[in-house]
mmCIF file with all atom_site columns, all heavy atoms in Angstrom:
data_model
loop_
_atom_site.group_PDB
_atom_site.id
_atom_site.type_symbol
_atom_site.label_atom_id
_atom_site.label_alt_id
_atom_site.label_comp_id
_atom_site.label_asym_id
_atom_site.label_entity_id
_atom_site.label_seq_id
_atom_site.pdbx_PDB_ins_code
_atom_site.Cartn_x
_atom_site.Cartn_y
_atom_site.Cartn_z
_atom_site.occupancy
_atom_site.B_iso_or_equiv
_atom_site.pdbx_formal_charge
_atom_site.auth_seq_id
_atom_site.auth_comp_id
_atom_site.auth_asym_id
_atom_site.auth_atom_id
_atom_site.pdbx_PDB_model_num
ATOM 1   N N   . ARG A 1 125 ? 48.732 5.652  -74.274 1.00 95.00 ? 125 ARG A N   1
ATOM 2   C CA  . ARG A 1 125 ? 47.814 6.149  -75.309 1.00 95.00 ? 125 ARG A CA  1
ATOM 3   C C   . ARG A 1 125 ? 48.092 5.426  -76.618 1.00 95.00 ? 125 ARG A C   1
ATOM 4   O O   . ARG A 1 125 ? 47.118 5.125  -77.390 1.00 95.00 ? 125 ARG A O   1
ATOM 5   C CB  . ARG A 1 125 ? 48.039 7.638  -75.542 1.00 95.00 ? 125 ARG A CB  1
ATOM 6   C CG  . ARG A 1 125 ? 47.122 8.254  -76.592 1.00 95.00 ? 125 ARG A CG  1
ATOM 7   C CD  . ARG A 1 125 ? 47.665 9.547  -77.125 1.00 95.00 ? 125 ARG A CD  1
ATOM 8   N NE  . ARG A 1 125 ? 48.865 9.361  -77.953 1.00 95.00 ? 125 ARG A NE  1
ATOM 9   C CZ  . ARG A 1 125 ? 49.308 10.209 -78.841 1.00 95.00 ? 125 ARG A CZ  1
ATOM 10  N NH1 . ARG A 1 125 ? 48.690 11.354 -79.080 1.00 95.00 ? 125 ARG A NH1 1
ATOM 11  N NH2 . ARG A 1 125 ? 50.436 9.961  -79.510 1.00 95.00 ? 125 ARG A NH2 1
ATOM 12  N N   . ASP A 1 126 ? 49.312 5.033  -76.903 1.00 93.00 ? 126 ASP A N   1
ATOM 13  C CA  . ASP A 1 126 ? 49.660 4.400  -78.169 1.00 93.00 ? 126 ASP A CA  1
ATOM 14  C C   . ASP A 1 126 ? 49.364 2.921  -78.179 1.00 93.00 ? 126 ASP A C   1
ATOM 15  O O   . ASP A 1 126 ? 49.513 2.295  -79.249 1.00 93.00 ? 126 ASP A O   1
ATOM 16  C CB  . ASP A 1 126 ? 51.147 4.622  -78.445 1.00 93.00 ? 126 ASP A CB  1
ATOM 17  C CG  . ASP A 1 126 ? 51.554 6.087  -78.613 1.00 93.00 ? 126 ASP A CG  1
ATOM 18  O OD1 . ASP A 1 126 ? 50.660 6.844  -79.086 1.00 93.00 ? 126 ASP A OD1 1
ATOM 19  O OD2 . ASP A 1 126 ? 52.645 6.459  -78.284 1.00 93.00 ? 126 ASP A OD2 1
ATOM 20  N N   . THR A 1 127 ? 48.907 2.354  -77.074 1.00 92.00 ? 127 THR A N   1
ATOM 21  C CA  . THR A 1 127 ? 48.607 0.914  -77.018 1.00 92.00 ? 127 THR A CA  1
ATOM 22  C C   . THR A 1 127 ? 47.494 0.575  -77.998 1.00 92.00 ? 127 THR A C   1
ATOM 23  O O   . THR A 1 127 ? 47.592 -0.425 -78.733 1.00 92.00 ? 127 THR A O   1
ATOM 24  C CB  . THR A 1 127 ? 48.182 0.499  -75.614 1.00 92.00 ? 127 THR A CB  1
ATOM 25  O OG1 . THR A 1 127 ? 49.255 0.788  -74.696 1.00 92.00 ? 127 THR A OG1 1
ATOM 26  C CG2 . THR A 1 127 ? 47.820 -0.977 -75.529 1.00 92.00 ? 127 THR A CG2 1
ATOM 27  N N   . ALA A 1 128 ? 46.437 1.336  -77.987 1.00 92.00 ? 128 ALA A N   1
ATOM 28  C CA  . ALA A 1 128 ? 45.280 1.080  -78.856 1.00 92.00 ? 128 ALA A CA  1
ATOM 29  C C   . ALA A 1 128 ? 44.579 2.373  -79.193 1.00 92.00 ? 128 ALA A C   1
ATOM 30  O O   . ALA A 1 128 ? 43.500 2.682  -78.661 1.00 92.00 ? 128 ALA A O   1
ATOM 31  C CB  . ALA A 1 128 ? 44.301 0.103  -78.158 1.00 92.00 ? 128 ALA A CB  1
ATOM 32  N N   . PRO A 1 129 ? 45.171 3.197  -80.019 1.00 91.00 ? 129 PRO A N   1
ATOM 33  C CA  . PRO A 1 129 ? 44.639 4.561  -80.287 1.00 91.00 ? 129 PRO A CA  1
ATOM 34  C C   . PRO A 1 129 ? 43.261 4.599  -80.927 1.00 91.00 ? 129 PRO A C   1
ATOM 35  O O   . PRO A 1 129 ? 42.601 5.586  -80.847 1.00 91.00 ? 129 PRO A O   1
ATOM 36  C CB  . PRO A 1 129 ? 45.736 5.162  -81.208 1.00 91.00 ? 129 PRO A CB  1
ATOM 37  C CG  . PRO A 1 129 ? 46.404 4.023  -81.814 1.00 91.00 ? 129 PRO A CG  1
ATOM 38  C CD  . PRO A 1 129 ? 46.427 2.929  -80.812 1.00 91.00 ? 129 PRO A CD  1
ATOM 39  N N   . LEU A 1 130 ? 42.839 3.447  -81.515 1.00 91.00 ? 130 LEU A N   1
ATOM 40  C CA  . LEU A 1 130 ? 41.555 3.456  -82.218 1.00 91.00 ? 130 LEU A CA  1
ATOM 41  C C   . LEU A 1 130 ? 40.452 2.811  -81.351 1.00 91.00 ? 130 LEU A C   1
ATOM 42  O O   . LEU A 1 130 ? 39.288 2.790  -81.782 1.00 91.00 ? 130 LEU A O   1
ATOM 43  C CB  . LEU A 1 130 ? 41.655 2.687  -83.526 1.00 91.00 ? 130 LEU A CB  1
ATOM 44  C CG  . LEU A 1 130 ? 42.674 3.275  -84.533 1.00 91.00 ? 130 LEU A CG  1
ATOM 45  C CD1 . LEU A 1 130 ? 42.670 2.472  -85.828 1.00 91.00 ? 130 LEU A CD1 1
ATOM 46  C CD2 . LEU A 1 130 ? 42.337 4.755  -84.862 1.00 91.00 ? 130 LEU A CD2 1
ATOM 47  N N   . LEU A 1 131 ? 40.786 2.387  -80.177 1.00 94.00 ? 131 LEU A N   1
ATOM 48  C CA  . LEU A 1 131 ? 39.766 1.775  -79.293 1.00 94.00 ? 131 LEU A CA  1
ATOM 49  C C   . LEU A 1 131 ? 39.267 2.762  -78.252 1.00 94.00 ? 131 LEU A C   1
ATOM 50  O O   . LEU A 1 131 ? 39.978 3.683  -77.879 1.00 94.00 ? 131 LEU A O   1
ATOM 51  C CB  . LEU A 1 131 ? 40.391 0.558  -78.522 1.00 94.00 ? 131 LEU A CB  1
ATOM 52  C CG  . LEU A 1 131 ? 40.501 -0.766 -79.241 1.00 94.00 ? 131 LEU A CG  1
ATOM 53  C CD1 . LEU A 1 131 ? 41.088 -1.800 -78.276 1.00 94.00 ? 131 LEU A CD1 1
ATOM 54  C CD2 . LEU A 1 131 ? 39.163 -1.222 -79.757 1.00 94.00 ? 131 LEU A CD2 1
ATOM 55  N N   . PRO A 1 132 ? 38.025 2.574  -77.805 1.00 96.00 ? 132 PRO A N   1
ATOM 56  C CA  . PRO A 1 132 ? 37.566 3.396  -76.643 1.00 96.00 ? 132 PRO A CA  1
ATOM 57  C C   . PRO A 1 132 ? 38.485 3.162  -75.450 1.00 96.00 ? 132 PRO A C   1
ATOM 58  O O   . PRO A 1 132 ? 38.895 2.014  -75.144 1.00 96.00 ? 132 PRO A O   1
ATOM 59  C CB  . PRO A 1 132 ? 36.158 2.813  -76.349 1.00 96.00 ? 132 PRO A CB  1
ATOM 60  C CG  . PRO A 1 132 ? 35.764 2.159  -77.628 1.00 96.00 ? 132 PRO A CG  1
ATOM 61  C CD  . PRO A 1 132 ? 37.019 1.618  -78.252 1.00 96.00 ? 132 PRO A CD  1
ATOM 62  N N   . TRP A 1 133 ? 38.856 4.248  -74.748 1.00 97.00 ? 133 TRP A N   1
ATOM 63  C CA  . TRP A 1 133 ? 39.848 4.190  -73.692 1.00 97.00 ? 133 TRP A CA  1
ATOM 64  C C   . TRP A 1 133 ? 39.299 4.823  -72.405 1.00 97.00 ? 133 TRP A C   1
ATOM 65  O O   . TRP A 1 133 ? 38.823 5.942  -72.427 1.00 97.00 ? 133 TRP A O   1
ATOM 66  C CB  . TRP A 1 133 ? 41.121 4.924  -74.116 1.00 97.00 ? 133 TRP A CB  1
ATOM 67  C CG  . TRP A 1 133 ? 42.298 4.779  -73.230 1.00 97.00 ? 133 TRP A CG  1
ATOM 68  C CD1 . TRP A 1 133 ? 42.530 3.832  -72.275 1.00 97.00 ? 133 TRP A CD1 1
ATOM 69  C CD2 . TRP A 1 133 ? 43.429 5.649  -73.141 1.00 97.00 ? 133 TRP A CD2 1
ATOM 70  N NE1 . TRP A 1 133 ? 43.710 4.029  -71.618 1.00 97.00 ? 133 TRP A NE1 1
ATOM 71  C CE2 . TRP A 1 133 ? 44.300 5.138  -72.156 1.00 97.00 ? 133 TRP A CE2 1
ATOM 72  C CE3 . TRP A 1 133 ? 43.792 6.848  -73.829 1.00 97.00 ? 133 TRP A CE3 1
ATOM 73  C CZ2 . TRP A 1 133 ? 45.518 5.766  -71.818 1.00 97.00 ? 133 TRP A CZ2 1
ATOM 74  C CZ3 . TRP A 1 133 ? 45.011 7.427  -73.530 1.00 97.00 ? 133 TRP A CZ3 1
ATOM 75  C CH2 . TRP A 1 133 ? 45.846 6.918  -72.538 1.00 97.00 ? 133 TRP A CH2 1
ATOM 76  N N   . LEU A 1 134 ? 39.342 4.071  -71.342 1.00 97.00 ? 134 LEU A N   1
ATOM 77  C CA  . LEU A 1 134 ? 38.949 4.575  -70.033 1.00 97.00 ? 134 LEU A CA  1
ATOM 78  C C   . LEU A 1 134 ? 40.128 4.538  -69.098 1.00 97.00 ? 134 LEU A C   1
ATOM 79  O O   . LEU A 1 134 ? 40.801 3.491  -68.970 1.00 97.00 ? 134 LEU A O   1
ATOM 80  C CB  . LEU A 1 134 ? 37.813 3.691  -69.445 1.00 97.00 ? 134 LEU A CB  1
ATOM 81  C CG  . LEU A 1 134 ? 37.450 3.889  -67.935 1.00 97.00 ? 134 LEU A CG  1
ATOM 82  C CD1 . LEU A 1 134 ? 36.932 5.320  -67.702 1.00 97.00 ? 134 LEU A CD1 1
ATOM 83  C CD2 . LEU A 1 134 ? 36.421 2.859  -67.526 1.00 97.00 ? 134 LEU A CD2 1
ATOM 84  N N   . VAL A 1 135 ? 40.486 5.645  -68.510 1.00 98.00 ? 135 VAL A N   1
ATOM 85  C CA  . VAL A 1 135 ? 41.601 5.766  -67.591 1.00 98.00 ? 135 VAL A CA  1
ATOM 86  C C   . VAL A 1 135 ? 41.045 6.198  -66.223 1.00 98.00 ? 135 VAL A C   1
ATOM 87  O O   . VAL A 1 135 ? 40.369 7.263  -66.133 1.00 98.00 ? 135 VAL A O   1
ATOM 88  C CB  . VAL A 1 135 ? 42.653 6.781  -68.052 1.00 98.00 ? 135 VAL A CB  1
ATOM 89  C CG1 . VAL A 1 135 ? 43.869 6.759  -67.144 1.00 98.00 ? 135 VAL A CG1 1
ATOM 90  C CG2 . VAL A 1 135 ? 43.055 6.543  -69.487 1.00 98.00 ? 135 VAL A CG2 1
ATOM 91  N N   . MET A 1 136 ? 41.335 5.439  -65.187 1.00 98.00 ? 136 MET A N   1
ATOM 92  C CA  . MET A 1 136 ? 40.872 5.800  -63.838 1.00 98.00 ? 136 MET A CA  1
ATOM 93  C C   . MET A 1 136 ? 42.024 5.630  -62.848 1.00 98.00 ? 136 MET A C   1
ATOM 94  O O   . MET A 1 136 ? 42.892 4.789  -62.988 1.00 98.00 ? 136 MET A O   1
ATOM 95  C CB  . MET A 1 136 ? 39.735 4.856  -63.392 1.00 98.00 ? 136 MET A CB  1
ATOM 96  C CG  . MET A 1 136 ? 38.422 5.035  -64.073 1.00 98.00 ? 136 MET A CG  1
ATOM 97  S SD  . MET A 1 136 ? 37.165 3.910  -63.495 1.00 98.00 ? 136 MET A SD  1
ATOM 98  C CE  . MET A 1 136 ? 36.892 4.523  -61.802 1.00 98.00 ? 136 MET A CE  1
ATOM 99  N N   . GLY A 1 137 ? 41.976 6.486  -61.809 1.00 98.00 ? 137 GLY A N   1
ATOM 100 C CA  . GLY A 1 137 ? 43.000 6.320  -60.770 1.00 98.00 ? 137 GLY A CA  1
ATOM 101 C C   . GLY A 1 137 ? 43.216 7.557  -59.915 1.00 98.00 ? 137 GLY A C   1
ATOM 102 O O   . GLY A 1 137 ? 42.435 8.546  -60.021 1.00 98.00 ? 137 GLY A O   1
ATOM 103 N N   . ASP A 1 138 ? 44.239 7.489  -59.119 1.00 98.00 ? 138 ASP A N   1
ATOM 104 C CA  . ASP A 1 138 ? 44.667 8.602  -58.288 1.00 98.00 ? 138 ASP A CA  1
ATOM 105 C C   . ASP A 1 138 ? 45.878 9.195  -58.993 1.00 98.00 ? 138 ASP A C   1
ATOM 106 O O   . ASP A 1 138 ? 46.962 8.584  -59.099 1.00 98.00 ? 138 ASP A O   1
ATOM 107 C CB  . ASP A 1 138 ? 45.080 8.067  -56.882 1.00 98.00 ? 138 ASP A CB  1
ATOM 108 C CG  . ASP A 1 138 ? 45.806 9.112  -56.074 1.00 98.00 ? 138 ASP A CG  1
ATOM 109 O OD1 . ASP A 1 138 ? 45.763 10.316 -56.435 1.00 98.00 ? 138 ASP A OD1 1
ATOM 110 O OD2 . ASP A 1 138 ? 46.477 8.712  -55.093 1.00 98.00 ? 138 ASP A OD2 1
ATOM 111 N N   . PHE A 1 139 ? 45.675 10.412 -59.506 1.00 98.00 ? 139 PHE A N   1
ATOM 112 C CA  . PHE A 1 139 ? 46.719 11.047 -60.333 1.00 98.00 ? 139 PHE A CA  1
ATOM 113 C C   . PHE A 1 139 ? 47.667 11.905 -59.491 1.00 98.00 ? 139 PHE A C   1
ATOM 114 O O   . PHE A 1 139 ? 48.654 12.431 -60.005 1.00 98.00 ? 139 PHE A O   1
ATOM 115 C CB  . PHE A 1 139 ? 46.086 11.872 -61.437 1.00 98.00 ? 139 PHE A CB  1
ATOM 116 C CG  . PHE A 1 139 ? 45.435 11.009 -62.487 1.00 98.00 ? 139 PHE A CG  1
ATOM 117 C CD1 . PHE A 1 139 ? 44.149 10.468 -62.276 1.00 98.00 ? 139 PHE A CD1 1
ATOM 118 C CD2 . PHE A 1 139 ? 46.034 10.701 -63.657 1.00 98.00 ? 139 PHE A CD2 1
ATOM 119 C CE1 . PHE A 1 139 ? 43.539 9.683  -63.201 1.00 98.00 ? 139 PHE A CE1 1
ATOM 120 C CE2 . PHE A 1 139 ? 45.412 9.902  -64.632 1.00 98.00 ? 139 PHE A CE2 1
ATOM 121 C CZ  . PHE A 1 139 ? 44.160 9.398  -64.385 1.00 98.00 ? 139 PHE A CZ  1
ATOM 122 N N   . ASN A 1 140 ? 47.315 12.121 -58.221 1.00 97.00 ? 140 ASN A N   1
ATOM 123 C CA  . ASN A 1 140 ? 48.128 12.896 -57.330 1.00 97.00 ? 140 ASN A CA  1
ATOM 124 C C   . ASN A 1 140 ? 48.401 14.299 -57.850 1.00 97.00 ? 140 ASN A C   1
ATOM 125 O O   . ASN A 1 140 ? 49.433 14.894 -57.528 1.00 97.00 ? 140 ASN A O   1
ATOM 126 C CB  . ASN A 1 140 ? 49.482 12.221 -57.029 1.00 97.00 ? 140 ASN A CB  1
ATOM 127 C CG  . ASN A 1 140 ? 49.412 11.371 -55.770 1.00 97.00 ? 140 ASN A CG  1
ATOM 128 O OD1 . ASN A 1 140 ? 48.933 11.839 -54.721 1.00 97.00 ? 140 ASN A OD1 1
ATOM 129 N ND2 . ASN A 1 140 ? 49.834 10.112 -55.843 1.00 97.00 ? 140 ASN A ND2 1
ATOM 130 N N   . GLU A 1 141 ? 47.485 14.818 -58.609 1.00 97.00 ? 141 GLU A N   1
ATOM 131 C CA  . GLU A 1 141 ? 47.597 16.198 -59.117 1.00 97.00 ? 141 GLU A CA  1
ATOM 132 C C   . GLU A 1 141 ? 46.217 16.738 -59.396 1.00 97.00 ? 141 GLU A C   1
ATOM 133 O O   . GLU A 1 141 ? 45.251 15.999 -59.587 1.00 97.00 ? 141 GLU A O   1
ATOM 134 C CB  . GLU A 1 141 ? 48.424 16.195 -60.369 1.00 97.00 ? 141 GLU A CB  1
ATOM 135 C CG  . GLU A 1 141 ? 48.858 17.620 -60.816 1.00 97.00 ? 141 GLU A CG  1
ATOM 136 C CD  . GLU A 1 141 ? 49.556 18.397 -59.722 1.00 97.00 ? 141 GLU A CD  1
ATOM 137 O OE1 . GLU A 1 141 ? 50.777 18.243 -59.526 1.00 97.00 ? 141 GLU A OE1 1
ATOM 138 O OE2 . GLU A 1 141 ? 48.856 19.194 -59.068 1.00 97.00 ? 141 GLU A OE2 1
ATOM 139 N N   . ILE A 1 142 ? 46.085 18.044 -59.417 1.00 96.00 ? 142 ILE A N   1
ATOM 140 C CA  . ILE A 1 142 ? 44.806 18.691 -59.718 1.00 96.00 ? 142 ILE A CA  1
ATOM 141 C C   . ILE A 1 142 ? 44.864 19.282 -61.121 1.00 96.00 ? 142 ILE A C   1
ATOM 142 O O   . ILE A 1 142 ? 45.925 19.642 -61.643 1.00 96.00 ? 142 ILE A O   1
ATOM 143 C CB  . ILE A 1 142 ? 44.461 19.782 -58.676 1.00 96.00 ? 142 ILE A CB  1
ATOM 144 C CG1 . ILE A 1 142 ? 45.522 20.875 -58.651 1.00 96.00 ? 142 ILE A CG1 1
ATOM 145 C CG2 . ILE A 1 142 ? 44.295 19.170 -57.283 1.00 96.00 ? 142 ILE A CG2 1
ATOM 146 C CD1 . ILE A 1 142 ? 45.210 22.052 -57.768 1.00 96.00 ? 142 ILE A CD1 1
ATOM 147 N N   . ILE A 1 143 ? 43.700 19.416 -61.743 1.00 94.00 ? 143 ILE A N   1
ATOM 148 C CA  . ILE A 1 143 ? 43.596 19.962 -63.065 1.00 94.00 ? 143 ILE A CA  1
ATOM 149 C C   . ILE A 1 143 ? 43.497 21.483 -63.043 1.00 94.00 ? 143 ILE A C   1
ATOM 150 O O   . ILE A 1 143 ? 43.953 22.179 -63.958 1.00 94.00 ? 143 ILE A O   1
ATOM 151 C CB  . ILE A 1 143 ? 42.408 19.344 -63.828 1.00 94.00 ? 143 ILE A CB  1
ATOM 152 C CG1 . ILE A 1 143 ? 42.741 17.941 -64.296 1.00 94.00 ? 143 ILE A CG1 1
ATOM 153 C CG2 . ILE A 1 143 ? 42.008 20.202 -65.037 1.00 94.00 ? 143 ILE A CG2 1
ATOM 154 C CD1 . ILE A 1 143 ? 41.638 17.287 -65.070 1.00 94.00 ? 143 ILE A CD1 1
ATOM 155 N N   . SER A 1 144 ? 42.886 22.033 -61.989 1.00 92.00 ? 144 SER A N   1
ATOM 156 C CA  . SER A 1 144 ? 42.783 23.498 -61.832 1.00 92.00 ? 144 SER A CA  1
ATOM 157 C C   . SER A 1 144 ? 42.802 23.833 -60.367 1.00 92.00 ? 144 SER A C   1
ATOM 158 O O   . SER A 1 144 ? 42.646 22.985 -59.494 1.00 92.00 ? 144 SER A O   1
ATOM 159 C CB  . SER A 1 144 ? 41.502 23.975 -62.513 1.00 92.00 ? 144 SER A CB  1
ATOM 160 O OG  . SER A 1 144 ? 40.351 23.549 -61.747 1.00 92.00 ? 144 SER A OG  1
ATOM 161 N N   . HIS A 1 145 ? 42.935 25.100 -60.080 1.00 92.00 ? 145 HIS A N   1
ATOM 162 C CA  . HIS A 1 145 ? 42.979 25.575 -58.710 1.00 92.00 ? 145 HIS A CA  1
ATOM 163 C C   . HIS A 1 145 ? 41.628 25.371 -58.007 1.00 92.00 ? 145 HIS A C   1
ATOM 164 O O   . HIS A 1 145 ? 41.542 25.360 -56.794 1.00 92.00 ? 145 HIS A O   1
ATOM 165 C CB  . HIS A 1 145 ? 43.384 27.023 -58.631 1.00 92.00 ? 145 HIS A CB  1
ATOM 166 C CG  . HIS A 1 145 ? 44.852 27.263 -58.954 1.00 92.00 ? 145 HIS A CG  1
ATOM 167 N ND1 . HIS A 1 145 ? 45.858 26.825 -58.131 1.00 92.00 ? 145 HIS A ND1 1
ATOM 168 C CD2 . HIS A 1 145 ? 45.443 27.892 -59.996 1.00 92.00 ? 145 HIS A CD2 1
ATOM 169 C CE1 . HIS A 1 145 ? 47.049 27.166 -58.632 1.00 92.00 ? 145 HIS A CE1 1
ATOM 170 N NE2 . HIS A 1 145 ? 46.820 27.832 -59.792 1.00 92.00 ? 145 HIS A NE2 1
ATOM 171 N N   . SER A 1 146 ? 40.569 25.243 -58.785 1.00 91.00 ? 146 SER A N   1
ATOM 172 C CA  . SER A 1 146 ? 39.247 25.004 -58.191 1.00 91.00 ? 146 SER A CA  1
ATOM 173 C C   . SER A 1 146 ? 39.143 23.612 -57.648 1.00 91.00 ? 146 SER A C   1
ATOM 174 O O   . SER A 1 146 ? 38.175 23.286 -56.898 1.00 91.00 ? 146 SER A O   1
ATOM 175 C CB  . SER A 1 146 ? 38.162 25.201 -59.256 1.00 91.00 ? 146 SER A CB  1
ATOM 176 O OG  . SER A 1 146 ? 38.248 24.264 -60.312 1.00 91.00 ? 146 SER A OG  1
ATOM 177 N N   . ASP A 1 147 ? 40.129 22.750 -57.950 1.00 94.00 ? 147 ASP A N   1
ATOM 178 C CA  . ASP A 1 147 ? 40.148 21.400 -57.404 1.00 94.00 ? 147 ASP A CA  1
ATOM 179 C C   . ASP A 1 147 ? 40.902 21.293 -56.074 1.00 94.00 ? 147 ASP A C   1
ATOM 180 O O   . ASP A 1 147 ? 41.322 20.200 -55.665 1.00 94.00 ? 147 ASP A O   1
ATOM 181 C CB  . ASP A 1 147 ? 40.727 20.424 -58.411 1.00 94.00 ? 147 ASP A CB  1
ATOM 182 C CG  . ASP A 1 147 ? 39.777 20.091 -59.561 1.00 94.00 ? 147 ASP A CG  1
ATOM 183 O OD1 . ASP A 1 147 ? 38.553 20.188 -59.307 1.00 94.00 ? 147 ASP A OD1 1
ATOM 184 O OD2 . ASP A 1 147 ? 40.294 19.762 -60.648 1.00 94.00 ? 147 ASP A OD2 1
#
Side-chain angles (χ1 to χ4, degrees):
R125 181 201 67 160
D126 297 330
T127 300
L130 299 181
L131 280 182
W133 188 21
L134 169 61
V135 187
M136 289 181 69
D138 168 16
F139 291 81
N140 266 312
E141 192 54 84
I142 60 175
I143 284 183
S144 69
H145 289 294
S146 62
D147 285 333

